[in-house]
Each structure stands twice: as structure tokens, then as C-alpha cells.
């Protein structure tokens, strides 16, 4: 955060064309020029808010976590005077938290395999013990 460039809204407003498209979401200044033709809802909606603060429009759609994480990829700076809240700051860590979560899902995945192994081996051990007790 500390090394982010600071832009005023009038500086952002100079980038409002298809070839140079910036806007602001939650105090982040985004250069979405390369994202225009990747946006699932098309480029028109993005060009309409070019050079402006598009926070309301972005939030009104109810964009997914993936979409929110994508914001970080296109961030070129922060808006001058924007007071970042704790939850804004936490958003910087959404991606890494997600990685940790999927890592723990992979770890948890070992449990059922382990349980299945015991389910198979334990009856064999008990059968062996019983047979040796009965016949030896
Ligand atoms: C860098 C900024 C943006 C990113 C990364 C982004 C990304 C996405 C993604 C990934 C989707 C697919 C659905 C989802 O995952 O939520 C989506 C859908 C959509 N976005 Fe964006 N978006 C951005 C900005 C905007 C803005 C500023 C607007 C409005 C002005 C907008 C309007 C829409 C609409 C209308 C949909 C379709 C929703 C639907 O089909 O229900 N997006 N966007």
C-alpha cells in the first residue's frame, strides 16, 4: 500500500478512451484498458464509467470474489484523499487467504484416505488375532 501512486479524480478523468481506460473502485485507481475485451459483460459498461469513480456501479452488480480479486491485478494507484477502511485493506489479502483455504482443503482430503485404509486393515488385524487365538 505504502508504495502506491496517488492520483486525483481529475487525473483519472484524463484516461477515458477505449485505448486508455481508467476508473476508480473503492479508492483504487485501475487501468482496465487490457481488461476491456475480457470483461464478461462486455466493454461498453466499462467505457461508460471510464475516468470516473465506478464503485457504486461495481458494487450494485454484486461482483463475485474472483471479480474483486481481479481489481488488484489492474490497480495502478490509489485515489487521493480516500480513507481506506480495515475491510478495504483486508481485501488485499483475499487472494492469499483463498490459497491458504484451498491448501487446507487439500490437507483435509488426506483424512478420508487414511480412514479408508484403517477400515480395510483393522478387520484384517482382528481376524488374524482371532484366528491365531482360536487355532494356535
Ligand atoms: C476492473 C473492474 C471489473 C472487473 C474485474 C469485473 C469483472 C467481472 C466479472 C469476473 C464478471 C462475471 C461475474 C462475476 O464473477 O461477478 C462481471 C460481470 C459483470 N460486470 Fe464487471 N467487472 C468490473 C467492473 C465493472 C463495472 C465498473 C461495471 C458497471 C459499470 C460492471 C458490470 C458488470 C455486469 C453488468 C456484469 C454481468 C453481471 C451478470 O451477468 O449478472 N463491471 N464483471
Amino acid at each position: 500500500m505504502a508504495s502506491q501512486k496517488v492520483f486525483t479524480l481529475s487525473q483519472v478523468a484524463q484516461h477515458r478512451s477505449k485505448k486508455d481506460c481508467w476508473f476508480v473502485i473503492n479508492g483504487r485507481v485501475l487501468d482496465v484498458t487490457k481488461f476491456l475485451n475480457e470483461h464478461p459483460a462486455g466493454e461498453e459498461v466499462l467505457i461508460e464509467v471510464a475516468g470516473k469513480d465506478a464503485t457504486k456501479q461495481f458494487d450494485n452488480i454484486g461482483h463475485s470474489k474472483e471479480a474483486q480479486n481481479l481489481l488488484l491485478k489492474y490497480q495502478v494507484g490509489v485515489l487521493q484523499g480516500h480513507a481506506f477502511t480495515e475491510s478495504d485493506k483486508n481485501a488485499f489479502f483475499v487472494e492469499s487467504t483463498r490459497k491458504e483455504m484451498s491448501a487446507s482443503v487439500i490437507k483435509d482430503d488426506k483424512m478420508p484416505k487414511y480412514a479408508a485404509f484403517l477400515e480395510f486393515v483393522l478387520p484384517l488385524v482382528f481376524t488374524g488375532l482371532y484366528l491365531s487365538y482360536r487355532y494356535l
Side-chain angles (χ1 to χ4, degrees), residues 1-8 11-13 15 20-35 70-80 84 92:
M1 259 316 258
S3 60
Q4 289 286 353
K5 270 183 127 183
V6 179
F7 296 98
T8 62
Q11 282 176 309
V12 175
H15 307 264
D20 180 23
C21 181
W22 291 20
F23 52 67
V24 178
I25 292 176
N26 287 323
R28 299 168 200 278
V29 177
L30 311 168
D31 177 353
V32 293
T33 317
K34 290 190 178 129
F35 177 67
L70 263 180
L71 294 183
L72 306 184
K73 185 173 166 192
Y74 298 101
Q75 182 167 3
V76 290
V78 292
L79 187 65
Q80 189 180 58
F84 281 92
F92 281 92

Side-chain angles (χ1 to χ4, degrees), residues 3-105:
S3 60
Q4 289 286 353
K5 270 183 127 183
V6 179
F7 296 98
T8 62
L9 202 51
S10 47
Q11 282 176 309
V12 175
Q14 325 226 315
H15 307 264
R16 50 196 301 180
S17 71
K18 206 170 161 176
K19 287 189 177 158
D20 180 23
C21 181
W22 291 20
F23 52 67
V24 178
I25 292 176
N26 287 323
R28 299 168 200 278
V29 177
L30 311 168
D31 177 353
V32 293
T33 317
K34 290 190 178 129
F35 177 67
L36 288 179
N37 58 6
E38 287 174 33
H39 187 232
E43 58 181 32
E44 282 310 315
V45 280
L46 302 187
I47 292 167
E48 262 170 40
V49 294
K52 300 181 195 160
D53 189 327
T55 308
K56 277 194 190 135
Q57 290 90 332
F58 184 82
D59 287 348
N60 285 345
I61 305 301
H63 280 90
S64 63
K65 276 271 173 284
E66 275 67 28
Q68 289 170 37
N69 285 331
L70 263 180
L71 294 183
L72 306 184
K73 185 173 166 192
Y74 298 101
Q75 182 167 3
V76 290
V78 292
L79 187 65
Q80 189 180 58
H82 181 86
F84 281 92
T85 63
E86 270 314 302
S87 66
D88 282 337
K89 286 179 198 158
N90 287 343
F92 281 92
F93 305 109
V94 171
E95 183 58 24
S96 57
T97 314
R98 209 160 62 86
K99 276 182 190 146
E100 274 166 29
M101 280 170 63
S102 54
S104 71
V105 169

Side-chain angles (χ1 to χ4, degrees), residues 103-123:
S104 71
V105 169
I106 292 165
K107 257 191 227 159
D108 287 350
D109 205 20
K110 280 182 185 158
M111 274 311 287
K113 277 182 201 157
Y114 182 62
F117 175 73
L118 280 182
E119 235 172 61
F120 175 72
V121 167
L122 280 180

